[in-house]
Amino acid sequence: MRQKYLIFVLACLAALVLCNAMAFDTKNDLLLISAQQALDEYRQEAANLVEWCEQHGLEPQATLTREYILPIVEEKIHIPDIPRNKQRDFLPGQASAEIVYWHNTWMTLRQNLSLKLQELAKLALREKRVILAMQMIHLAIHADPDSEKLRNTLGFEFYDDQWHTEWEIGQLKRGRVNHERFGWIPAKHVARYESGERYFNGQWISREQDAKEHANINNGWMISTEHYDVQTNHSMEEGVRLSRRLEEFYYVWKQVFIQYTASTSELAQRLEGKKLHFKEPRLKFVLFRDRREYVAALGKNDPNIAISVGFYDNRTQNCFFYMHNGRTPNSEREMDRTVFHEGTHQLFNCAKPIRFNGHNNFWATEAVAIYMETLRREGNYFVLGDPADVRVLAAKYRFFRSKFYMPFGNIAKLDMAAFQRAPYLKELYSQCGGMGYFLMHHDKGGYRDAFVTLLDEIYMGRSTSRTLFDLLAEPSDTLDLQYEKMLEAIPAEFKEEGKR
């Protein structure tokens, strides 16, 4: 295969579908049963094809096909990073009859799976199960990445030999390219940028002079992408790196929480290939060169800024951070967690008009932000959730060792002020980390849609202390028992809690 990504692994395919049930009885859910049957049929047919390849001495083809039949992982969410290049395979002119048979059979298996998943997505939409439908759409694209209709569902069009969003196509038509180090710049500037020059105020200057011009955060570099404006006085390159992480973050957030921003009818139209235009937010991040400048600039309005590592300002709707010293894997990962946490607050506040009042259920806004901290890449997937994540293990430690636990029924009554002023705030944050994971993954994701609906009700100012329990049709003490059992079943133990 000429394209390496053709080994787009269906690892965790079943998990991706099965982890997106709603507050349903997952054991008797006809949609999930149908999805499981489609996946099981594929797995069996792929296994048969692997055996046939081995019998005919086609070991490379057997290996490629075997990549589809990996173990199911239910404690994580996998969002495929859909390739930008065309993936349709073309056989070499001298291919043997056996290779032609394998190729055609394999392509048919993948396309049939995609069609089945598309039909299940339509059924899910009829039942107003938006999150489940969106995950099935992603799986269908993953199985058949060259389907124009499916690509349009995610807002992609084929232009200049790649799949691009409408915004990206606009940049390309303006003669700009997305440079690995410098972001979106005019194609005619690439050579001079790579040689060390910079274009500023209509003239070319040296890299050193450019750094002086942008040394003050108020005159910092502004890196603009489809959804974000990143302002920084650290370096253009660091601003570009941050902007790329943010666009990946936005992509994942939008797929997992599609129910928060898109109606059932809108998604149904997308699934039929209709091109819809949505007003998406422009989001601003400010990245200071170091902690000293961060504290000096923001401490005037917030005396507690020195104990923070980043924050979302609800007044300006901007996020503020500083560059950690050094570039170790641990420091980068901790910075990512902070960016994703505050970026989650920003997205839920800015993705649509809201009427957030903070009267109750404030814990849920922190729980989802802590959950989004777990975002990372694993191969060709963006992955969320991990029972061994430091925040979940901290919740387990608090529950069993420190004996701290505020029941669901009680924490739901806390408003924003009561939560933030609690003398046991650190313990509450730890518990939120565990509760967020619980609501996203309990019973194969059976509570996930209800959790997203709760968030919608909170941000629209409609939630009460009873909203979650009414959505789940479960009393609060039942959730307490289920939460305890989940924590107890996690084999790992708490070692060291990160900053929060």
Side-chain angles (χ1 to χ4, degrees), residues 43-113:
R43 290 167 66 85
Q44 184 57 57
E45 290 172 340
N48 293 340
L49 185 58
V50 167
E51 184 178 355
W52 183 90
C53 288
E54 291 172 339
Q55 291 172 352
H56 290 79
L58 304 179
E59 190 53 44
Q61 288 73 25
T63 299
L64 199 57
T65 309
R66 196 180 293 112
E67 295 287 347
Y68 275 74
I69 320 173
L70 295 182
I72 296 170
V73 180
E74 294 181 354
E75 68 270 14
K76 302 175 184 178
I77 298 176
H78 288 72
I79 303 293
D81 182 13
I82 308 299
R84 293 303 190 99
N85 296 322
K86 283 273 189 179
Q87 297 296 299
R88 190 75 68 202
D89 237 6
F90 298 99
L91 285 169
Q94 302 302 315
S96 67
E98 288 82 4
I99 290 180
V100 170
Y101 172 81
W102 162 79
H103 176 269
N104 292 342
T105 304
W106 196 42
M107 293 298 108
T108 300
L109 286 180
R110 286 162 36 184
Q111 290 163 12
N112 286 345
L113 177 61

Side-chain angles (χ1 to χ4, degrees), residues 144 154 272-273 384 403 425 478:
D144 187 11
L154 296 187
E272 293 302 325
L384 283 169
K403 303 301 180 183
L425 182 60
T478 295

Side-chain angles (χ1 to χ4, degrees), residues 8-20 32 35-36 38-39 68 77-82 109-118 120-121 131-145 147 150 154 251 255 381:
F8 49 84
V9 183
L10 288 184
C12 314
L13 244 178
L16 225 170
V17 170
L18 294 179
C19 286
N20 284 279
L32 293 182
Q36 182 65 69
L39 293 165
Y68 275 74
I77 298 176
H78 288 72
I79 303 293
D81 182 13
I82 308 299
L109 286 180
R110 286 162 36 184
Q111 290 163 12
N112 286 345
L113 177 61
S114 178
L115 290 172
K116 290 176 182 178
L117 290 169
Q118 290 177 60
L120 289 172
I131 295 178
L132 180 62
M134 195 64 191
Q135 296 299 334
M136 288 184 176
I137 290 170
H138 265 277
L139 289 175
I141 296 175
H142 198 46
D144 187 11
S147 167
L150 286 172
L154 296 187
Y251 171 78
Q255 309 318 319
Y381 294 90

Side-chain angles (χ1 to χ4, degrees), residues 216-270:
N216 188 297
I217 191 65
N218 296 320
N219 299 320
W221 289 275
M222 184 67 75
I223 313 299
S224 295
T225 59
E226 185 165 0
H227 303 99
Y228 289 91
D229 293 315
V230 174
Q231 184 172 348
T232 182
N233 64 343
H234 182 280
S235 65
M236 175 188 292
E237 289 85 345
E238 198 59 50
V240 169
R241 274 192 287 269
L242 176 58
S243 71
R244 291 216 168 98
R245 290 203 299 276
L246 288 170
E247 284 295 340
E248 291 177 348
F249 167 73
Y250 183 90
Y251 171 78
V252 172
W253 181 89
K254 189 174 179 181
Q255 309 318 319
V256 175
F257 299 102
I258 185 69
Q259 180 181 334
Y260 185 78
T261 57
S263 69
T264 304
S265 61
E266 288 168 344
L267 194 54
Q269 291 180 68
R270 288 189 193 182

Side-chain angles (χ1 to χ4, degrees), residues 3 91 145 207 211 213-214 248 282 296 300 308 314 345 364 402 415:
Q3 297 285 350
L91 285 169
R207 177 169 46 199
E213 296 288 350
H214 296 94
E248 291 177 348
R282 284 218 65 77
K300 301 171 186 176
S308 71
N314 194 48
H345 290 316
S402 302
D415 62 14

